[in-house]
Amino acid sequence: MPNPSGTPAQASQIPGPTPTEVLLEGLEMSFGANSVLRGIDLTVRRGELVAIVGNSGCGKTVLLKLIVGHFTPDKGRVMVADHESQGSPLRDLSTLSGDEFDRIRVHWAFVFQKNALLNGSVYYNLALWPREIKDLTDEQLIPLARRALEAVELDPDEVLNLSREDLSGGMAKRVAIARALVMDPVLVMYDEPTAGLDPDLSAKIHALIARSHNAPASLGVARTSIMVTHDTELLRTLRPRVVMLSDGRVLFDGTFEQFSASDDPHITPYLRQMPMLHARVQTFD
């Protein structure tokens, strides 16, 4: 399948010294006796599209939740770019005050596996976060919400006042992405963005992720995207940098071409199992 127009460049294709958006050093995380992450080192450069893959239970979603500060690692540190400071220096999440953390995360967005839309209308879902963070009025918010819906190919006149219960699975996923885009994020994270969707809808979400990734944020910097997925077609279409977790560590980090051609005894069976795993994605991975 050919790449969509404007597919993001892989790390090896980004010219010159590219700033770091996320830096993970020696991350360890356990839940009781279950050791999930056992020493993760990972650098994500600004503008990269990165797919985190691996068998169910290997810690992919835990890794995303560490990046956004939902979890605190047992060991190691999470460093993120501070786009509110000149030069966007890296800041250690563990050293931030509540106000500093809120200031930094205003440039992030998270698309949940099950969408996590709130009770209420589509407009309520799109307007809640920018209203609270940026203190915008409805007069300011409605154009932003309409543009976000148009970006995910939904008609604002038809969708804006629909309730969550009125949305199909594909519409709900696109609304969830629109909710992320309405904040004009620099860093977007997706947890299983095509879980539960049929192939046609999945293909539309693939193209939407590519378009969203390639649209620069208003800060004037390239958008960075990190996604957890078992979706083979998503990898084949978008050609992201692939990072595979296994046994709590990074087993593979490279291009999709290198990943798909690997004869590693851990990667080869996983590649065969990906369609089955994608079909039965678990809630907590």
Side-chain angles (χ1 to χ4, degrees):
M1 182 181 296
N3 291 351
S5 177
T7 296
Q10 297 164 359
S12 60
Q13 296 171 314
I14 298 175
T18 307
T20 297
E21 188 67 32
V22 177
L23 176 63
L24 310 178
E25 294 182 333
L27 287 191
E28 296 184 17
M29 188 77 191
S30 297
F31 296 92
N34 182 22
S35 179
V36 178
L37 301 179
R38 303 177 181 179
I40 298 291
D41 295 301
L42 183 66
T43 299
V44 177
R45 300 289 180 180
R46 191 161 306 149
E48 281 195 293
L49 176 64
V50 180
I52 310 293
V53 305
N55 285 302
S56 297
C58 72
K60 302 184 298 297
T61 297
V62 170
L63 193 65
L64 281 190
K65 290 183 176 181
L66 285 165
I67 293 173
V68 298
H70 183 79
F71 293 148
T72 300
D74 299 327
K75 291 184 179 180
R77 62 179 184 169
V78 177
M79 307 281 287
V80 297
D82 177 3
H83 293 287
E84 290 291 298
S85 299
Q86 186 173 3
S88 301
L90 291 178
R91 302 290 301 276
D92 185 339
L93 285 187
S94 68
T95 69
L96 299 177
S97 68
D99 287 343
E100 288 173 325
F101 180 68
D102 286 343
R103 187 192 69 197
I104 288 175
R105 70 173 179 163
V106 73
H107 299 291
W108 302 345
F110 198 107
V111 179
F112 296 88
Q113 179 188 136
K114 294 190 174 181
N115 305 324
L117 297 179
L118 303 172
N119 285 325
S121 68
V122 168
Y123 175 66
Y124 175 77
N125 274 273
L126 269 59
L128 179 62
W129 187 239
R131 178 181 284 120
E132 289 190 359
I133 296 299
K134 298 183 177 181
D135 196 28
L136 301 181
T137 66
D138 282 332
E139 185 177 44
Q140 296 168 308
L141 284 167
I142 289 173
L144 293 178
R146 293 180 66 88
R147 284 198 295 271
L149 290 172
E150 289 167 353
V152 299
E153 298 183 338
L154 289 173
D155 185 341
D157 292 329
E158 296 180 0
V159 173
L160 202 60
N161 293 314
L162 292 181
S163 70
R164 181 183 67 177
E165 289 72 23
D166 294 328
L167 303 176
S168 67
M171 290 172 69
K173 180 63 66 178
R174 284 185 280 176
V175 169
I177 296 175
R179 182 177 60 182
L181 296 179
V182 78
M183 287 297 292
D184 191 25
V186 172
L187 173 62
V188 186
M189 285 160 282
Y190 301 86
D191 189 5
E192 297 287 358
T194 53
L197 303 182
D198 64 39
D200 287 342
L201 282 174
S202 292
K204 292 180 179 179
I205 298 301
H206 299 167
L208 174 55
I209 291 172
R211 289 199 308 273
S212 303
H213 178 80
N214 286 320
S218 62
L219 285 179
V221 300
R223 184 164 283 144
T224 304
S225 303
I226 304 173
M227 53 190 177
V228 162
T229 188
H230 290 301
D231 188 345
T232 314
E233 287 304 314
L234 187 153
L235 301 184
R236 185 174 293 114
T237 301
L238 300 188
R239 296 295 203 271
R241 171 185 171 192
V242 178
V243 175
M244 181 176 176
L245 304 186
S246 179
D247 196 28
R249 297 180 175 85
V250 174
L251 173 71
F252 174 89
D253 184 352
T255 67
F256 168 75
E257 288 77 11
Q258 293 167 335
F259 180 67
S260 60
S262 174
D263 58 1
D264 184 283
H266 296 90
I267 295 175
T268 302
Y270 173 70
L271 281 165
R272 289 198 300 266
Q273 295 167 11
M274 283 184 77
M276 177 189 68
L277 293 170
H278 181 54
R280 60 176 181 84
V281 172
Q282 298 179 4
T283 301
F284 184 80
D285 192 9

